[in-house]
Amino acid sequence: MTTLKLTPTRRTFGQWFAATGWRHLIGVALVIYSAFPLLYVLSASLNSEGTLLSSNGLFQAVSLDSYVELFQNPQRPFAAWFVNTLFIGLTTSVASVLLGAMAAYSFSRMRFRGRRFGLVSLLVVQIFPQLLAVVAIFILLTTLGDVFPILGIDNQIALIMVYLGGALGMNTYLMYGFFNTVPVEIDEAAKIDGAGHARIFFTIILRLVAPILAVVSLLSFIGTTSDFVIASVVLVSPENQTLAVGLFQYVSEEFTSNWSVFAAGAVLAAIPVMALFLFLQKYIVGGLTAGSVK
């Protein structure tokens, strides 16, 4: 009895490129396109000459002087800016997730008068950009500061409250779509066992919607740490400012701009965002896709 050996046919380069090769080419191009700005900023931060024109050649000059200068300027306390940014970003992220999750649970599980109007109102409010509310926010905080100093101008708690109010609508609607994917039968089974809405929400639902919580917390952290317009209006004292507001001082003056120090601060400011993204990475894909399907 003879056995036939089948030898696999080798594909030509043209066949391989037509099938899968073009995908690799596009992937490499996208990686280069995305990585070049990051490499340019890193190269500029290591060039102590302080101008962007001198940084055209990547990594021609390597020095840590700009990073050292960040922590040696008493008029521009970078360490305080870094701590303030982490405090405001993390606090806003946790609080916005909690408030948005409770609001989304209410809209998803409870039926009450004005429910549909409330959902539509949340979307309509998000149409208007934050820039339109800057004057109103300034006047409101100035007035509240006369009664409650903790909610006045140049206070980080006041800025956190502004962020929570601005992000509540979009976060609620984003979580609402994800909450609808959780079967209602889980709630009904828990109610039969005697659980109330609070116990169902905190012990059951929050664990099932962990992906969307991770997505909202990451987006909230990125939005608050990179915000400049509202933070620059609310925070006035250098010791209370965030990284986005403080680092702008290095490039805002025409004859004393130091782009190298600014780039060094930008590199360090990206570390918390990158760390949080890597920590929540396993939840992000599920949170972005499942919430879009009802």
Side-chain angles (χ1 to χ4, degrees), residues 94-254:
V94 173
S96 62
V97 167
L98 182 60
L99 294 177
M102 290 191 293
Y105 177 79
S106 301
F107 282 114
S108 177
R109 291 297 194 265
M110 301 177 184
R111 297 297 181 265
F112 50 89
R113 182 177 299 178
R115 171 178 169 272
R116 184 174 297 275
F117 176 77
L119 286 172
V120 175
S121 300
L122 291 176
L123 282 181
V124 173
V125 170
Q126 302 303 314
I127 297 176
F128 302 96
Q130 288 184 338
L131 188 61
L132 298 178
V134 170
V135 177
I137 291 173
F138 179 80
I139 297 175
L140 179 63
L141 295 182
T142 303
T143 305
L144 287 176
D146 297 334
V147 183
F148 304 101
I150 197 174
L151 297 178
I153 293 294
D154 200 23
N155 195 292
Q156 298 177 8
I157 301 299
L159 180 61
I160 292 175
M161 293 300 176
V162 172
Y163 286 150
L164 292 179
L168 182 60
M170 183 57 66
N171 293 342
T172 300
Y173 206 86
L174 183 62
M175 292 184 183
Y176 169 76
F178 198 98
F179 273 72
N180 288 338
T181 63
V182 179
V184 184
E185 290 75 12
I186 296 178
D187 300 42
E188 296 175 350
K191 290 179 181 178
I192 294 176
D193 293 335
H197 284 294
R199 186 173 182 181
I200 295 173
F201 175 75
F202 286 103
T203 62
I204 300 176
I205 300 299
L206 284 185
R207 298 181 181 180
L208 298 178
V209 297
I212 195 62
L213 299 182
V215 171
V216 171
S217 62
L218 179 62
L219 295 178
S220 177
F221 184 79
I222 294 175
T224 53
T225 54
S226 60
D227 175 67
F228 173 79
V229 177
I230 297 179
S232 62
V233 173
V234 177
L235 303 179
V236 180
S237 302
E239 62 274 9
N240 291 331
Q241 293 175 343
T242 60
L243 285 172
V245 180
L247 289 176
F248 181 71
Q249 301 175 18
Y250 285 101
V251 294
S252 60
E253 300 176 3
E254 183 176 359

Side-chain angles (χ1 to χ4, degrees), residues 4-55:
L4 299 177
K5 295 183 178 180
L6 299 178
T7 58
T9 58
R10 298 184 60 182
R11 293 185 301 176
T12 63
F13 176 80
Q15 293 174 338
W16 171 82
F17 186 83
T20 59
W22 63 273
R23 302 178 184 178
H24 296 280
L25 183 62
I26 294 177
V28 172
L30 291 177
V31 169
I32 296 175
Y33 180 80
S34 303
F36 179 77
L38 303 178
L39 293 177
Y40 190 86
V41 172
L42 181 60
S43 174
S45 67
L46 296 175
N47 192 330
S48 59
E49 294 186 12
T51 61
L52 289 180
L53 294 178
S54 62
S55 304

